[in-house]
Amino acid sequence: MIEVFAAFNRSLRDLTRREVLWHALWPPLLALVLWLVVGYALWAHGIDTMTRILPQLPWEGWEWVARWAAVFLLLAAFAVLVYVTAILLVAVFALPRLIELVAARDYPDLGRHGENVFWGSLGTTLGAGAIFLFGSLLMLPLLLIPGVLLVLPLAWGAWLNQRTFRFDALAEHATRAEMQRLVHENRSRFYVAGLATAAAAHVPLLNLLAPALTALVFVHLGLAALRRQRQQGGIEL
């Protein structure tokens, strides 16, 4: 997937720009601080809740296993909440500015023909985020199964990334018909980009920038595809 690789290269380059880096950092930092405060206030109650959810072990003296399993699941739940909150903040508040910066530099020729951009973006992000959050909380016990931790979060994160950002990246520039065609013709590229950015969210330090990196990758991937589509169709950019 040359297009996905090129989008990653351009996105990493963009993150070296000070104005881009600021919009990449504040959403995850705000989300982290918010959930650290909530986690500190509700930690004991959360541990008790997770302990009740977990199946009881039949062996005496193994209560510590359930205790550590509860701690792991609670930390995993808070990680999901931080990530979803950061994605929401990036998609709704930071992304419009990121698109403006990226489009001005790399896609100044593309006309903007989007409709109901803000409300469409908000609805898409909230809907995808709610499904992702609900599904993640239901699947938390599965993470205790050996091997599942390596596969399930990546697959589920890939779904969230492509479902949210394929729309947001194109909403300002593409018409509804253009967007439908782009999603249909580039579905595999969007999923590969979603999977790769989901993997980036599991890399220490890089995970702090993962929501913004995901947004930038989809902006480059989507706008480059829109440019090609208009050029091939003989449409004025």
Side-chain angles (χ1 to χ4, degrees), residues 5-70:
F5 184 74
F8 261 91
N9 278 341
R10 296 190 185 107
S11 300
L12 292 173
R13 177 207 63 193
D14 289 337
L15 288 174
T16 64
R17 301 167 62 186
R18 182 172 60 183
E19 62 271 30
V20 172
L21 187 60
W22 161 244
H23 289 287
L25 282 174
W26 74 258
L29 289 176
L30 179 59
L32 181 61
V33 170
L34 171 66
W35 288 108
L36 280 176
V37 172
V38 174
Y40 179 79
L42 301 178
W43 181 260
H45 177 71
I47 290 294
D48 290 339
T49 301
M50 290 298 178
T51 302
R52 288 195 297 269
I53 291 175
L54 289 170
Q56 297 298 314
L57 295 175
W59 313 293
E60 293 186 5
W62 285 78
E63 291 80 5
W64 62 273
V65 175
R67 185 75 177 180
W68 280 108

Short mmCIF file of all heavy atoms in Angstrom, two decimals, residues 5-70:
data_model
loop_
_atom_site.label_atom_id
_atom_site.label_comp_id
_atom_site.label_asym_id
_atom_site.label_seq_id
_atom_site.Cartn_x
_atom_site.Cartn_y
_atom_site.Cartn_z
N PHE A 5 1.69 4.24 3.03
CA PHE A 5 3.06 4.54 3.44
C PHE A 5 3.38 6.02 3.22
O PHE A 5 3.99 6.68 4.08
CB PHE A 5 4.05 3.67 2.66
CG PHE A 5 5.47 3.84 3.07
CD1 PHE A 5 5.94 3.32 4.27
CD2 PHE A 5 6.36 4.53 2.26
CE1 PHE A 5 7.27 3.49 4.66
CE2 PHE A 5 7.68 4.71 2.63
CZ PHE A 5 8.13 4.18 3.84
N ALA A 6 2.97 6.55 2.08
CA ALA A 6 3.20 7.97 1.79
C ALA A 6 2.46 8.86 2.79
O ALA A 6 2.98 9.89 3.23
CB ALA A 6 2.76 8.29 0.36
N ALA A 7 1.24 8.47 3.13
CA ALA A 7 0.47 9.25 4.11
C ALA A 7 1.14 9.26 5.47
O ALA A 7 1.16 10.29 6.16
CB ALA A 7 -0.95 8.68 4.22
N PHE A 8 1.72 8.12 5.86
CA PHE A 8 2.45 8.06 7.14
C PHE A 8 3.67 8.98 7.10
O PHE A 8 3.95 9.70 8.07
CB PHE A 8 2.88 6.63 7.44
CG PHE A 8 1.98 5.92 8.39
CD1 PHE A 8 0.90 5.18 7.94
CD2 PHE A 8 2.19 6.00 9.76
CE1 PHE A 8 0.05 4.53 8.81
CE2 PHE A 8 1.35 5.36 10.65
CZ PHE A 8 0.28 4.61 10.18
N ASN A 9 4.41 8.94 6.01
CA ASN A 9 5.60 9.79 5.89
C ASN A 9 5.24 11.27 6.01
O ASN A 9 5.90 12.03 6.72
CB ASN A 9 6.30 9.53 4.56
CG ASN A 9 7.20 8.31 4.61
OD1 ASN A 9 7.57 7.84 5.69
ND2 ASN A 9 7.54 7.77 3.45
N ARG A 10 4.20 11.68 5.31
CA ARG A 10 3.79 13.08 5.36
C ARG A 10 3.28 13.46 6.75
O ARG A 10 3.51 14.58 7.23
CB ARG A 10 2.71 13.34 4.32
CG ARG A 10 3.17 13.15 2.87
CD ARG A 10 2.13 13.65 1.89
NE ARG A 10 2.52 13.36 0.52
CZ ARG A 10 1.96 12.41 -0.23
NH1 ARG A 10 0.97 11.67 0.27
NH2 ARG A 10 2.36 12.20 -1.47
N SER A 11 2.59 12.53 7.41
CA SER A 11 2.05 12.81 8.75
C SER A 11 3.17 12.97 9.77
O SER A 11 3.12 13.87 10.63
CB SER A 11 1.11 11.67 9.17
OG SER A 11 0.03 11.55 8.27
N LEU A 12 4.17 12.11 9.71
CA LEU A 12 5.32 12.23 10.61
C LEU A 12 6.08 13.53 10.36
O LEU A 12 6.56 14.17 11.30
CB LEU A 12 6.24 11.02 10.45
CG LEU A 12 5.67 9.69 10.94
CD1 LEU A 12 6.61 8.54 10.57
CD2 LEU A 12 5.45 9.71 12.45
N ARG A 13 6.16 13.92 9.10
CA ARG A 13 6.77 15.22 8.78
C ARG A 13 5.96 16.37 9.38
O ARG A 13 6.52 17.31 9.95
CB ARG A 13 6.85 15.37 7.26
CG ARG A 13 7.41 16.72 6.78
CD ARG A 13 6.86 17.06 5.40
NE ARG A 13 5.41 17.22 5.44
CZ ARG A 13 4.65 17.27 4.35
NH1 ARG A 13 5.18 17.13 3.15
NH2 ARG A 13 3.33 17.44 4.47
N ASP A 14 4.63 16.27 9.28
CA ASP A 14 3.77 17.33 9.82
C ASP A 14 3.95 17.49 11.32
O ASP A 14 3.85 18.60 11.85
CB ASP A 14 2.31 17.03 9.49
CG ASP A 14 2.00 17.20 8.02
OD1 ASP A 14 2.73 17.93 7.33
OD2 ASP A 14 1.02 16.58 7.55
N LEU A 15 4.18 16.37 12.01
CA LEU A 15 4.31 16.43 13.48
C LEU A 15 5.57 17.16 13.92
O LEU A 15 5.72 17.46 15.11
CB LEU A 15 4.29 15.01 14.06
CG LEU A 15 2.93 14.31 14.04
CD1 LEU A 15 3.06 12.87 14.51
CD2 LEU A 15 1.92 15.06 14.91
N THR A 16 6.48 17.45 13.00
CA THR A 16 7.66 18.24 13.35
C THR A 16 7.38 19.74 13.29
O THR A 16 8.22 20.55 13.68
CB THR A 16 8.84 17.91 12.41
OG1 THR A 16 8.50 18.29 11.07
CG2 THR A 16 9.16 16.43 12.45
N ARG A 17 6.20 20.11 12.81
CA ARG A 17 5.81 21.52 12.74
C ARG A 17 5.19 21.93 14.08
O ARG A 17 4.32 21.24 14.61
CB ARG A 17 4.82 21.75 11.60
CG ARG A 17 5.35 21.36 10.23
CD ARG A 17 4.24 21.31 9.19
NE ARG A 17 3.58 22.59 9.00
CZ ARG A 17 2.51 22.78 8.24
NH1 ARG A 17 1.96 21.73 7.60
NH2 ARG A 17 1.97 23.96 8.11
N ARG A 18 5.64 23.03 14.61
CA ARG A 18 5.23 23.43 15.96
C ARG A 18 3.72 23.60 16.09
O ARG A 18 3.11 23.16 17.07
CB ARG A 18 5.94 24.73 16.35
CG ARG A 18 5.63 25.21 17.77
CD ARG A 18 6.51 26.38 18.13
NE ARG A 18 6.30 27.50 17.22
CZ ARG A 18 7.01 28.64 17.28
NH1 ARG A 18 7.96 28.77 18.20
NH2 ARG A 18 6.75 29.62 16.44
N GLU A 19 3.11 24.25 15.09
CA GLU A 19 1.67 24.50 15.18
C GLU A 19 0.87 23.20 15.09
O GLU A 19 -0.20 23.08 15.71
CB GLU A 19 1.22 25.48 14.09
CG GLU A 19 1.42 24.99 12.66
CD GLU A 19 2.78 25.36 12.11
OE1 GLU A 19 3.74 25.46 12.90
OE2 GLU A 19 2.90 25.54 10.89
N VAL A 20 1.38 22.23 14.35
CA VAL A 20 0.72 20.92 14.28
C VAL A 20 0.93 20.14 15.57
O VAL A 20 0.01 19.51 16.10
CB VAL A 20 1.25 20.11 13.07
CG1 VAL A 20 0.72 18.68 13.11
CG2 VAL A 20 0.85 20.79 11.76
N LEU A 21 2.15 20.18 16.08
CA LEU A 21 2.47 19.43 17.30
C LEU A 21 1.61 19.88 18.48
O LEU A 21 1.19 19.05 19.30
CB LEU A 21 3.95 19.58 17.63
CG LEU A 21 4.49 18.74 18.78
CD1 LEU A 21 4.30 17.26 18.48
CD2 LEU A 21 5.96 19.04 19.04
N TRP A 22 1.33 21.17 18.58
CA TRP A 22 0.50 21.66 19.67
C TRP A 22 -0.90 21.04 19.62
O TRP A 22 -1.42 20.56 20.63
CB TRP A 22 0.39 23.18 19.61
CG TRP A 22 -0.77 23.74 20.39
CD1 TRP A 22 -1.84 24.41 19.90
CD2 TRP A 22 -0.98 23.65 21.80
NE1 TRP A 22 -2.72 24.74 20.90
CE2 TRP A 22 -2.21 24.29 22.09
CE3 TRP A 22 -0.26 23.09 22.85
CZ2 TRP A 22 -2.73 24.38 23.36
CZ3 TRP A 22 -0.79 23.18 24.14
CH2 TRP A 22 -2.00 23.82 24.39
N HIS A 23 -1.48 21.00 18.42
CA HIS A 23 -2.83 20.41 18.29
C HIS A 23 -2.80 18.89 18.41
O HIS A 23 -3.84 18.26 18.60
CB HIS A 23 -3.43 20.82 16.95
CG HIS A 23 -3.82 22.27 16.89
ND1 HIS A 23 -4.91 22.77 17.56
CD2 HIS A 23 -3.24 23.33 16.26
CE1 HIS A 23 -5.02 24.07 17.35
NE2 HIS A 23 -4.02 24.44 16.56
N ALA A 24 -1.60 18.31 18.29
CA ALA A 24 -1.46 16.86 18.49
C ALA A 24 -1.33 16.51 19.96
O ALA A 24 -1.69 15.40 20.37
CB ALA A 24 -0.24 16.35 17.72
N LEU A 25 -0.83 17.44 20.75
CA LEU A 25 -0.51 17.13 22.15
C LEU A 25 -1.63 17.44 23.14
O LEU A 25 -1.87 16.68 24.08
CB LEU A 25 0.76 17.88 22.57
CG LEU A 25 2.09 17.30 22.10
CD1 LEU A 25 3.23 18.24 22.48
CD2 LEU A 25 2.31 15.92 22.70
N TRP A 26 -2.33 18.57 22.93
CA TRP A 26 -3.25 18.97 23.98
C TRP A 26 -4.44 18.01 24.16
O TRP A 26 -4.87 17.78 25.32
CB TRP A 26 -3.72 20.42 23.81
CG TRP A 26 -4.72 20.70 22.73
CD1 TRP A 26 -4.48 21.24 21.51
CD2 TRP A 26 -6.15 20.48 22.79
NE1 TRP A 26 -5.65 21.36 20.79
CE2 TRP A 26 -6.69 20.92 21.55
CE3 TRP A 26 -7.01 19.96 23.76
CZ2 TRP A 26 -8.05 20.84 21.26
CZ3 TRP A 26 -8.37 19.88 23.47
CH2 TRP A 26 -8.87 20.32 22.25
N PRO A 27 -5.00 17.40 23.10
CA PRO A 27 -6.13 16.49 23.36
C PRO A 27 -5.78 15.28 24.21
O PRO A 27 -6.49 14.99 25.19
CB PRO A 27 -6.58 16.10 21.94
CG PRO A 27 -6.12 17.20 21.06
CD PRO A 27 -4.80 17.60 21.64
N PRO A 28 -4.70 14.51 23.90
CA PRO A 28 -4.40 13.36 24.76
C PRO A 28 -3.97 13.77 26.17
O PRO A 28 -4.28 13.05 27.13
CB PRO A 28 -3.26 12.64 24.02
CG PRO A 28 -2.66 13.67 23.14
CD PRO A 28 -3.79 14.56 22.74
N LEU A 29 -3.27 14.90 26.30
CA LEU A 29 -2.88 15.34 27.65
C LEU A 29 -4.10 15.72 28.48
O LEU A 29 -4.19 15.37 29.66
CB LEU A 29 -1.92 16.54 27.54
CG LEU A 29 -0.52 16.22 27.02
CD1 LEU A 29 0.29 17.50 26.87
CD2 LEU A 29 0.20 15.23 27.95
N LEU A 30 -5.05 16.41 27.86
CA LEU A 30 -6.28 16.77 28.58
C LEU A 30 -7.06 15.52 28.95
O LEU A 30 -7.58 15.41 30.08
CB LEU A 30 -7.13 17.70 27.70
CG LEU A 30 -8.47 18.14 28.30
CD1 LEU A 30 -8.26 18.88 29.61
CD2 LEU A 30 -9.22 19.03 27.29
N ALA A 31 -7.17 14.57 28.02
CA ALA A 31 -7.89 13.32 28.30
C ALA A 31 -7.22 12.55 29.42
O ALA A 31 -7.88 11.98 30.30
CB ALA A 31 -7.96 12.47 27.03
N LEU A 32 -5.88 12.50 29.41
CA LEU A 32 -5.14 11.78 30.43
C LEU A 32 -5.35 12.40 31.81
O LEU A 32 -5.60 11.68 32.79
CB LEU A 32 -3.65 11.76 30.07
CG LEU A 32 -2.73 11.01 31.03
CD1 LEU A 32 -3.12 9.54 31.12
CD2 LEU A 32 -1.28 11.16 30.60
N VAL A 33 -5.24 13.71 31.89
CA VAL A 33 -5.43 14.39 33.18
C VAL A 33 -6.86 14.17 33.69
O VAL A 33 -7.08 13.88 34.88
CB VAL A 33 -5.14 15.90 33.04
CG1 VAL A 33 -5.57 16.65 34.30
CG2 VAL A 33 -3.65 16.13 32.78
N LEU A 34 -7.82 14.29 32.80
CA LEU A 34 -9.23 14.10 33.19
C LEU A 34 -9.45 12.72 33.80
O LEU A 34 -10.03 12.60 34.90
CB LEU A 34 -10.12 14.29 31.96
CG LEU A 34 -11.60 13.91 32.15
CD1 LEU A 34 -12.26 14.83 33.15
CD2 LEU A 34 -12.33 13.96 30.80
N TRP A 35 -8.98 11.67 33.13
CA TRP A 35 -9.24 10.32 33.61
C TRP A 35 -8.33 9.91 34.76
O TRP A 35 -8.68 9.01 35.52
CB TRP A 35 -9.18 9.33 32.46
CG TRP A 35 -10.37 9.47 31.56
CD1 TRP A 35 -10.43 9.99 30.32
CD2 TRP A 35 -11.72 9.12 31.91
NE1 TRP A 35 -11.71 9.99 29.84
CE2 TRP A 35 -12.53 9.46 30.79
CE3 TRP A 35 -12.32 8.57 33.04
CZ2 TRP A 35 -13.91 9.24 30.79
CZ3 TRP A 35 -13.70 8.35 33.03
CH2 TRP A 35 -14.46 8.69 31.91
N LEU A 36 -7.19 10.57 34.91
CA LEU A 36 -6.38 10.34 36.11
C LEU A 36 -7.11 10.84 37.35
O LEU A 36 -7.11 10.18 38.40
CB LEU A 36 -5.03 11.04 35.98
CG LEU A 36 -3.96 10.34 35.15
CD1 LEU A 36 -2.71 11.21 35.03
CD2 LEU A 36 -3.59 8.98 35.76
N VAL A 37 -7.74 12.00 37.23
CA VAL A 37 -8.52 12.55 38.35
C VAL A 37 -9.70 11.63 38.67
O VAL A 37 -9.95 11.30 39.84
CB VAL A 37 -9.01 13.96 38.01
CG1 VAL A 37 -9.97 14.47 39.09
CG2 VAL A 37 -7.82 14.92 37.88
N VAL A 38 -10.42 11.21 37.63
CA VAL A 38 -11.56 10.32 37.83
C VAL A 38 -11.09 8.98 38.41
O VAL A 38 -11.70 8.43 39.33
CB VAL A 38 -12.32 10.10 36.51
CG1 VAL A 38 -13.42 9.05 36.70
CG2 VAL A 38 -12.92 11.40 36.03
N GLY A 39 -9.99 8.45 37.87
CA GLY A 39 -9.47 7.17 38.34
C GLY A 39 -9.04 7.22 39.79
O GLY A 39 -9.29 6.29 40.57
N TYR A 40 -8.41 8.32 40.19
CA TYR A 40 -7.99 8.47 41.59
C TYR A 40 -9.20 8.51 42.52
O TYR A 40 -9.17 7.91 43.61
CB TYR A 40 -7.18 9.77 41.74
CG TYR A 40 -6.71 10.03 43.15
CD1 TYR A 40 -5.59 9.37 43.67
CD2 TYR A 40 -7.40 10.92 43.97
CE1 TYR A 40 -5.17 9.61 44.97
CE2 TYR A 40 -6.99 11.17 45.27
CZ TYR A 40 -5.87 10.51 45.76
OH TYR A 40 -5.46 10.74 47.05
N ALA A 41 -10.25 9.17 42.08
CA ALA A 41 -11.44 9.30 42.93
C ALA A 41 -12.23 8.00 43.02
O ALA A 41 -12.84 7.71 44.05
CB ALA A 41 -12.34 10.42 42.39
N LEU A 42 -12.21 7.18 41.95
CA LEU A 42 -13.06 6.00 41.89
C LEU A 42 -12.29 4.69 41.92
O LEU A 42 -12.87 3.64 41.65
CB LEU A 42 -13.93 6.04 40.61
CG LEU A 42 -14.85 7.25 40.46
CD1 LEU A 42 -15.59 7.18 39.13
CD2 LEU A 42 -15.84 7.34 41.62
N TRP A 43 -11.00 4.73 42.25
CA TRP A 43 -10.17 3.53 42.14
C TRP A 43 -10.70 2.38 42.99
O TRP A 43 -10.87 1.25 42.50
CB TRP A 43 -8.74 3.86 42.52
CG TRP A 43 -7.82 2.68 42.40
CD1 TRP A 43 -7.37 1.87 43.40
CD2 TRP A 43 -7.27 2.16 41.19
NE1 TRP A 43 -6.56 0.89 42.90
CE2 TRP A 43 -6.48 1.03 41.54
CE3 TRP A 43 -7.36 2.52 39.85
CZ2 TRP A 43 -5.79 0.28 40.60
CZ3 TRP A 43 -6.66 1.78 38.91
CH2 TRP A 43 -5.90 0.68 39.28
N ALA A 44 -10.95 2.62 44.26
CA ALA A 44 -11.38 1.55 45.16
C ALA A 44 -12.71 0.96 44.69
O ALA A 44 -12.88 -0.27 44.67
CB ALA A 44 -11.50 2.08 46.59
N HIS A 45 -13.64 1.81 44.32
CA HIS A 45 -14.94 1.34 43.84
C HIS A 45 -14.77 0.54 42.54
O HIS A 45 -15.44 -0.49 42.34
CB HIS A 45 -15.88 2.52 43.62
CG HIS A 45 -17.21 2.13 43.06
ND1 HIS A 45 -18.17 1.46 43.80
CD2 HIS A 45 -17.75 2.31 41.80
CE1 HIS A 45 -19.23 1.25 43.05
NE2 HIS A 45 -19.00 1.76 41.84
N GLY A 46 -13.87 1.00 41.67
CA GLY A 46 -13.63 0.29 40.43
C GLY A 46 -13.05 -1.09 40.64
O GLY A 46 -13.43 -2.05 39.96
N ILE A 47 -12.12 -1.22 41.57
CA ILE A 47 -11.53 -2.52 41.88
C ILE A 47 -12.59 -3.48 42.39
O ILE A 47 -12.65 -4.66 41.99
CB ILE A 47 -10.40 -2.38 42.91
CG1 ILE A 47 -9.19 -1.68 42.28
CG2 ILE A 47 -9.98 -3.74 43.45
CD1 ILE A 47 -8.50 -2.46 41.19
N ASP A 48 -13.45 -2.99 43.28
CA ASP A 48 -14.53 -3.84 43.80
C ASP A 48 -15.47 -4.28 42.68
O ASP A 48 -15.90 -5.45 42.65
CB ASP A 48 -15.32 -3.08 44.87
CG ASP A 48 -14.51 -2.86 46.14
OD1 ASP A 48 -13.52 -3.61 46.35
OD2 ASP A 48 -14.83 -1.95 46.91
N THR A 49 -15.78 -3.37 41.77
CA THR A 49 -16.68 -3.71 40.66
C THR A 49 -16.06 -4.76 39.75
O THR A 49 -16.72 -5.75 39.38
CB THR A 49 -17.00 -2.45 39.83
OG1 THR A 49 -17.63 -1.47 40.68
CG2 THR A 49 -17.92 -2.79 38.68
N MET A 50 -14.78 -4.57 39.40
CA MET A 50 -14.10 -5.54 38.54
C MET A 50 -13.98 -6.90 39.22
O MET A 50 -14.10 -7.96 38.58
CB MET A 50 -12.72 -5.02 38.14
CG MET A 50 -12.75 -3.86 37.18
SD MET A 50 -13.52 -4.32 35.60
CE MET A 50 -13.46 -2.73 34.74
N THR A 51 -13.75 -6.91 40.52
CA THR A 51 -13.63 -8.17 41.26
C THR A 51 -14.94 -8.94 41.23
O THR A 51 -14.95 -10.18 41.11
CB THR A 51 -13.21 -7.89 42.72
OG1 THR A 51 -11.98 -7.18 42.73
CG2 THR A 51 -13.04 -9.19 43.49
N ARG A 52 -16.06 -8.22 41.32
CA ARG A 52 -17.37 -8.89 41.27
C ARG A 52 -17.67 -9.41 39.87
O ARG A 52 -18.36 -10.42 39.72
CB ARG A 52 -18.47 -7.92 41.73
CG ARG A 52 -18.46 -7.63 43.22
CD ARG A 52 -19.78 -6.99 43.65
NE ARG A 52 -19.97 -5.70 43.01
CZ ARG A 52 -19.57 -4.54 43.53
NH1 ARG A 52 -18.93 -4.54 44.69
NH2 ARG A 52 -19.78 -3.41 42.89
N ILE A 53 -17.18 -8.72 38.85
CA ILE A 53 -17.42 -9.14 37.48
C ILE A 53 -16.67 -10.42 37.16
O ILE A 53 -17.19 -11.31 36.45
CB ILE A 53 -17.02 -8.03 36.49
CG1 ILE A 53 -17.98 -6.84 36.62
CG2 ILE A 53 -17.00 -8.54 35.06
CD1 ILE A 53 -17.59 -5.65 35.78
N LEU A 54 -15.44 -10.53 37.66
CA LEU A 54 -14.61 -11.69 37.35
C LEU A 54 -15.19 -12.96 37.96
O LEU A 54 -15.75 -12.92 39.07
CB LEU A 54 -13.19 -11.47 37.89
CG LEU A 54 -12.34 -10.43 37.15
CD1 LEU A 54 -11.07 -10.15 37.93
CD2 LEU A 54 -12.00 -10.94 35.75
N PRO A 55 -15.06 -14.09 37.29
CA PRO A 55 -15.51 -15.36 37.87
C PRO A 55 -14.66 -15.72 39.08
O PRO A 55 -13.45 -15.46 39.11
CB PRO A 55 -15.31 -16.37 36.73
CG PRO A 55 -14.28 -15.75 35.85
CD PRO A 55 -14.49 -14.27 35.93
N GLN A 56 -15.28 -16.30 40.07
CA GLN A 56 -14.57 -16.66 41.30
C GLN A 56 -13.75 -17.94 41.08
O GLN A 56 -14.24 -18.91 40.50
CB GLN A 56 -15.58 -16.88 42.44
CG GLN A 56 -16.36 -15.62 42.80
CD GLN A 56 -15.46 -14.50 43.30
OE1 GLN A 56 -14.58 -14.73 44.12
NE2 GLN A 56 -15.69 -13.30 42.79
N LEU A 57 -12.50 -17.89 41.54
CA LEU A 57 -11.64 -19.07 41.44
C LEU A 57 -12.02 -20.08 42.52
O LEU A 57 -12.28 -19.71 43.67
CB LEU A 57 -10.17 -18.67 41.60
CG LEU A 57 -9.62 -17.77 40.48
CD1 LEU A 57 -8.20 -17.34 40.80
CD2 LEU A 57 -9.65 -18.49 39.14
N PRO A 58 -12.02 -21.36 42.20
CA PRO A 58 -12.46 -22.37 43.17
C PRO A 58 -11.40 -22.75 44.20
O PRO A 58 -11.67 -23.52 45.11
CB PRO A 58 -12.81 -23.57 42.27
CG PRO A 58 -11.90 -23.41 41.10
CD PRO A 58 -11.75 -21.94 40.88
N TRP A 59 -10.16 -22.22 44.04
CA TRP A 59 -9.08 -22.64 44.92
C TRP A 59 -8.81 -21.59 46.00
O TRP A 59 -8.72 -20.40 45.71
CB TRP A 59 -7.80 -22.87 44.12
CG TRP A 59 -8.04 -23.68 42.88
CD1 TRP A 59 -8.41 -24.99 42.83
CD2 TRP A 59 -7.96 -23.21 41.54
NE1 TRP A 59 -8.56 -25.39 41.52
CE2 TRP A 59 -8.28 -24.32 40.70
CE3 TRP A 59 -7.63 -21.99 40.95
CZ2 TRP A 59 -8.29 -24.22 39.33
CZ3 TRP A 59 -7.65 -21.90 39.57
CH2 TRP A 59 -7.97 -23.00 38.78
N GLU A 60 -8.66 -22.04 47.22
CA GLU A 60 -8.34 -21.14 48.31
C GLU A 60 -6.89 -20.69 48.19
O GLU A 60 -6.02 -21.44 47.77
CB GLU A 60 -8.57 -21.83 49.66
CG GLU A 60 -10.03 -22.13 49.96
CD GLU A 60 -10.21 -22.68 51.35
OE1 GLU A 60 -9.19 -22.73 52.10
OE2 GLU A 60 -11.33 -23.06 51.70
N GLY A 61 -6.63 -19.47 48.62
CA GLY A 61 -5.28 -18.93 48.58
C GLY A 61 -4.91 -18.29 47.26
O GLY A 61 -3.80 -17.76 47.11
N TRP A 62 -5.84 -18.32 46.27
CA TRP A 62 -5.56 -17.73 44.97
C TRP A 62 -6.33 -16.43 44.75
O TRP A 62 -6.49 -15.97 43.63
CB TRP A 62 -5.91 -18.72 43.86
CG TRP A 62 -4.90 -19.83 43.74
CD1 TRP A 62 -4.80 -20.93 44.54
CD2 TRP A 62 -3.84 -19.92 42.79
NE1 TRP A 62 -3.75 -21.71 44.15
CE2 TRP A 62 -3.15 -21.13 43.07
CE3 TRP A 62 -3.42 -19.12 41.73
CZ2 TRP A 62 -2.05 -21.52 42.33
CZ3 TRP A 62 -2.34 -19.53 40.98
CH2 TRP A 62 -1.65 -20.72 41.28
N GLU A 63 -6.79 -15.84 45.85
CA GLU A 63 -7.55 -14.59 45.73
C GLU A 63 -6.72 -13.47 45.10
O GLU A 63 -7.25 -12.56 44.46
CB GLU A 63 -8.07 -14.15 47.09
CG GLU A 63 -9.15 -15.05 47.68
CD GLU A 63 -8.56 -16.30 48.34
OE1 GLU A 63 -7.30 -16.38 48.41
OE2 GLU A 63 -9.33 -17.16 48.79
N TRP A 64 -5.38 -13.53 45.31
CA TRP A 64 -4.51 -12.50 44.76
C TRP A 64 -4.55 -12.47 43.23
O TRP A 64 -4.37 -11.41 42.62
CB TRP A 64 -3.07 -12.69 45.24
CG TRP A 64 -2.45 -13.99 44.78
CD1 TRP A 64 -2.51 -15.20 45.39
CD2 TRP A 64 -1.68 -14.17 43.58
NE1 TRP A 64 -1.84 -16.14 44.67
CE2 TRP A 64 -1.31 -15.54 43.56
CE3 TRP A 64 -1.27 -13.34 42.55
CZ2 TRP A 64 -0.55 -16.07 42.51
CZ3 TRP A 64 -0.51 -13.86 41.52
CH2 TRP A 64 -0.15 -15.22 41.51
N VAL A 65 -4.82 -13.62 42.62
CA VAL A 65 -4.92 -13.67 41.16
C VAL A 65 -6.10 -12.82 40.69
O VAL A 65 -5.99 -12.03 39.74
CB VAL A 65 -5.06 -15.12 40.66
CG1 VAL A 65 -5.29 -15.14 39.15
CG2 VAL A 65 -3.82 -15.93 41.03
N ALA A 66 -7.23 -13.00 41.36
CA ALA A 66 -8.41 -12.22 41.00
C ALA A 66 -8.18 -10.74 41.26
O ALA A 66 -8.64 -9.88 40.49
CB ALA A 66 -9.62 -12.71 41.81
N ARG A 67 -7.43 -10.44 42.34
CA ARG A 67 -7.16 -9.04 42.65
C ARG A 67 -6.33 -8.38 41.55
O ARG A 67 -6.65 -7.27 41.09
CB ARG A 67 -6.41 -8.96 43.98
CG ARG A 67 -6.15 -7.54 44.49
CD ARG A 67 -7.41 -6.93 45.04
NE ARG A 67 -7.16 -5.60 45.59
CZ ARG A 67 -8.09 -4.84 46.13
NH1 ARG A 67 -9.34 -5.28 46.20
NH2 ARG A 67 -7.79 -3.65 46.61
N TRP A 68 -5.27 -9.05 41.13
CA TRP A 68 -4.42 -8.49 40.08
C TRP A 68 -5.14 -8.45 38.73
O TRP A 68 -4.93 -7.53 37.92
CB TRP A 68 -3.12 -9.28 39.96
CG TRP A 68 -2.11 -8.89 40.99
CD1 TRP A 68 -1.72 -9.61 42.08
CD2 TRP A 68 -1.40 -7.65 41.05
NE1 TRP A 68 -0.79 -8.91 42.82
CE2 TRP A 68 -0.58 -7.70 42.21
CE3 TRP A 68 -1.36 -6.51 40.25
CZ2 TRP A 68 0.27 -6.65 42.57
CZ3 TRP A 68 -0.53 -5.46 40.62
CH2 TRP A 68 0.27 -5.54 41.76
N ALA A 69 -5.99 -9.43 38.49
CA ALA A 69 -6.79 -9.41 37.26
C ALA A 69 -7.73 -8.21 37.26
O ALA A 69 -7.93 -7.56 36.22
CB ALA A 69 -7.58 -10.71 37.12
N ALA A 70 -8.30 -7.89 38.42
CA ALA A 70 -9.19 -6.74 38.53
C ALA A 70 -8.43 -5.44 38.28
O ALA A 70 -8.93 -4.53 37.61
CB ALA A 70 -9.84 -6.71 39.91
#
